[in-house]
Amino acid sequence: MPMRRPTTSLLLAALLLGAAHPAGAQAESVPPFRALQDNRTVPESKAQVQLSFAPLVKRAAPSVVNVYGTHVEKRAANRGAMDEFLRRFFGDAGPNLPQERAQRSLGSGVIVDASGLIVTNNHVIENMNEVKVALNDRREFEAQILLRDPRTDLAILKIKSPSGGLTPMEIGDSEHLQVGDFVIAIGNPFGVGQTVTQGIVSALARTQVGSADYQFFIQTDAAINPGNSGGALVDLNGGLVGINTAIYSQSGGSHGIGFAIPASMVKAVVETAKGGAKTVRRPWLGARLQHVTPDIAESVGLDHPTGVMVASMQPKSPAEEAGLKRGDVILAVDGQTVDDPEAFGYRFALKGIKGETKLTVLRGSSRTTVPVRLGPAPETRPRDALKVKTRSPFLGSTVVNLSPAVIEDLQLDLPAATQGEGVIISEVEAGTVANRVGLQKGDILIAVNGTPVATTKDLERVTRATAPMWEVTINRGGQQMTSVFGG
């Protein structure tokens, strides 16, 4: 059914501003507030009275699905002490003890390709090994996970055996959204079934939300609740302009502050999945960036804080090759202004890993354009990931060999002096020995019991032996520290 957007605009104008009148002395003598009240008009046709978002919803709703994730954990063959006690107490005819444990999650997703590609939030299917989707018409399908991208909190699924009749939603243009535009949110809040809410774009380029590495969110007052994650934010053209991903709430329900990942980032991740890649590769600048404070802005001649300042650069990085210097202020990426490091990271990530991009740079009192080569961070040596399982202070941690690619993937803000070779902790599981002794993601290992640690194989060798005491030297944020732990 065709949209009646021009009619909507005319009706809103009539209701808010009143009918147009020729300018004259009489009109000018009426106070503005009285004029607004006196000039109201009633709808002039049945079509104006019956204006509705229903045609838009009817077209968009079949593209939005419910996503059900399940993680099934098999129980060990040998029963625990409590299981054995119950077996003995009740006998062989006692209760059937569960042999597996399941964790479940519920969210939403959007069909973006007729082949069955679905985009959702990574946190909806995080740690899940079985995924099903339910369509608007109640058909259910198993889906495989094609790609997980925790850095954007996006994931791409594919229906395993689509039976036809899928309705993909076109990915729209989030770059031309404006504050005040009408939008519709579609998802499955609280598991009650598909629900539609309507609101406006409340703000753009929100960067202090904290739910992903690439923060550049669309803020909306369209009600978004638990279960809406991964659902669609739709404009009045029926295009997907965002994936609903987070809410600001003190109660768990909607307070009119919801956030969506812009379609421009969604499109980049979808195209990666279509190309068959399992991970999203992004361009590497190789520089540490910092916010421009009011004091910094005044010192460099800016009338307000904007852009990002180059704090340091890695050797042989695109930033160094382009001639960027410490203290430069980057104001724009290909003409698109950036106000903070998060906005720069978002704009730069969308440029891909081929060709070049142009940065607008303020150096001293002059502005210049600096071309920067686009390419992924180099994997200068194999990661050789090691999950430590031996009895030591590192039990429960995962370590990898350091390289620019590792620094980029882990989004570590390391001082330039620590960005050479070494071994870095990439993960620490909660509740493990490594977690209890205070080891952290991003710690660089220097030595264990006086033995230098240059590779993960070095750590594997040194942790094979038992020791009454462990002396561990690490570099954390540029500061070297040594701790002693009991064996």
Side-chain angles (χ1 to χ4, degrees):
M1 183 173 179
M3 294 290 296
R4 289 183 280 193
R5 192 174 183 181
T7 309
T8 304
S9 301
L10 290 173
L11 177 59
L12 289 173
L15 292 176
L16 295 175
L17 302 178
H21 291 279
Q26 183 176 2
E28 292 177 353
S29 65
V30 179
F33 182 77
R34 281 285 305 277
L36 180 63
Q37 301 294 320
D38 294 345
N39 291 340
R40 288 178 175 176
T41 60
V42 298
E44 297 177 355
S45 68
K46 183 178 179 181
Q48 290 181 344
V49 174
Q50 294 179 334
L51 286 175
S52 169
F53 291 107
L56 170 62
V57 173
K58 185 176 181 180
R59 188 172 66 195
S63 303
V64 182
V65 304
N66 297 340
V67 177
Y68 303 91
T70 305
H71 177 78
V72 179
E73 181 180 344
K74 300 291 184 182
R75 296 177 65 92
N78 56 324
R79 298 170 182 254
M82 181 58 69
D83 289 356
E84 184 64 19
F85 167 78
L86 292 173
R87 186 188 66 80
R88 290 183 179 181
F89 184 81
F90 287 104
D92 292 335
N96 293 323
L97 300 174
Q99 294 303 304
E100 58 184 32
R101 180 174 57 188
Q103 296 177 321
R104 293 181 173 84
S105 69
L106 170 67
S108 306
V110 186
I111 302 172
V112 292
D113 190 84
S115 65
L117 285 185
I118 295 170
V119 61
T120 185
N121 282 139
N122 180 67
H123 75 256
V124 170
I125 54 95
E126 189 174 15
N127 301 322
M128 300 295 116
N129 51 25
E130 297 178 4
V131 178
K132 290 185 178 180
V133 298
L135 273 59
N136 180 248
D137 60 10
R138 298 187 179 183
R139 287 182 293 165
E140 291 192 5
F141 299 93
E142 290 186 354
Q144 64 182 117
I145 302 171
L146 293 186
L147 183 151
R148 302 175 190 258
D149 190 35
R151 297 183 64 184
T152 57
D153 194 20
L154 291 172
I156 307 299
L157 314 176
K158 189 176 190 303
I159 294 176
K160 289 184 178 180
S161 301
S163 58
L166 301 180
T167 306
M169 184 181 295
E170 182 180 356
I171 299 179
D173 185 1
S174 57
E175 295 296 325
H176 287 84
L177 279 179
Q178 295 185 22
V179 175
D181 282 350
F182 278 114
V183 285
I184 291 174
I186 308 177
N188 183 15
F190 297 109
V192 300
Q194 191 175 91
T195 302
V196 179
T197 55
Q198 175 266 327
I200 63 169
V201 174
S202 306
L204 296 168
R206 289 297 195 207
T207 59
Q208 303 301 317
V209 177
S211 65
D213 289 339
Y214 292 104
Q215 297 187 41
F216 202 76
F217 294 100
I218 302 165
Q219 182 181 328
T220 178
D221 67 347
I224 296 174
N225 288 291
N228 271 110
S229 291
L233 192 69
V234 184
D235 65 11
L236 293 189
N237 293 318
L240 178 70
V241 291
I243 292 294
N244 302 321
T245 189
I247 59 174
Y248 177 82
S249 175
Q250 296 178 335
S251 65
S254 173
H255 290 335
I257 304 177
F259 301 97
I261 302 168
S264 50
M265 181 61 80
V266 174
K267 186 174 182 179
V269 176
V270 169
E271 292 301 319
T272 297
K274 284 183 177 180
K278 298 298 183 183
T279 57
V280 181
R281 303 179 71 197
R282 298 182 173 89
W284 175 56
L285 180 64
R288 290 179 65 225
L289 306 175
Q290 67 181 62
H291 287 81
V292 173
T293 64
D295 288 342
I296 293 175
E298 183 179 359
S299 68
V300 297
L302 292 171
D303 56 6
H304 66 282
T306 186
V308 292
M309 177 170 281
V310 177
S312 64
M313 292 172 291
Q314 295 184 41
K316 300 180 181 179
S317 65
E320 186 182 71
E321 293 173 357
L324 287 175
K325 300 182 182 299
R326 187 173 179 272
D328 283 351
V329 177
I330 302 173
L331 300 174
V333 179
D334 278 341
Q336 294 177 306
T337 59
V338 294
D339 289 329
D340 50 43
E342 291 80 12
F344 175 87
Y346 177 86
R347 291 295 182 195
F348 194 68
L350 292 178
K351 296 304 174 182
I353 56 174
K354 295 181 180 179
E356 68 176 28
T357 188
K358 291 182 173 59
L359 306 182
T360 302
V361 175
L362 176 65
R363 179 178 297 163
S365 59
S366 61
R367 300 192 183 199
T368 184
T369 300
V370 177
V372 175
R373 172 181 57 84
L374 296 172
E379 196 93 43
T380 52
R381 57 182 183 151
R383 301 190 184 201
D384 286 339
L386 169 67
K387 185 171 184 178
V388 180
K389 299 180 180 180
T390 54
R391 185 177 178 82
S392 71
F394 305 98
L395 179 61
S397 68
T398 300
V399 297
V400 296
N401 291 327
L402 195 60
S403 71
V406 169
I407 296 171
E408 185 74 8
D409 289 349
L410 297 181
Q411 283 293 278
L412 300 174
D413 188 17
L414 301 180
T418 65
Q419 294 179 354
E421 294 187 349
V423 174
I424 191 166
I425 296 177
S426 62
E427 183 180 357
V428 177
E429 292 184 18
T432 61
V433 173
N435 177 234
R436 290 197 296 270
V437 302
L439 293 177
Q440 299 176 12
K441 175 182 174 180
D443 287 346
I444 299 174
L445 307 184
I446 297 174
V448 177
N449 289 340
T451 302
V453 176
T455 67
T456 58
K457 288 183 171 55
D458 292 340
L459 182 65
E460 185 177 23
R461 280 192 296 269
V462 77
T463 55
R464 281 178 190 161
T466 58
M469 303 292 288
W470 293 86
E471 183 182 88
V472 178
T473 302
I474 64 172
N475 186 310
R476 178 177 293 170
Q479 182 178 359
Q480 185 168 309
M481 57 184 70
T482 299
S483 302
V484 178
F485 309 102

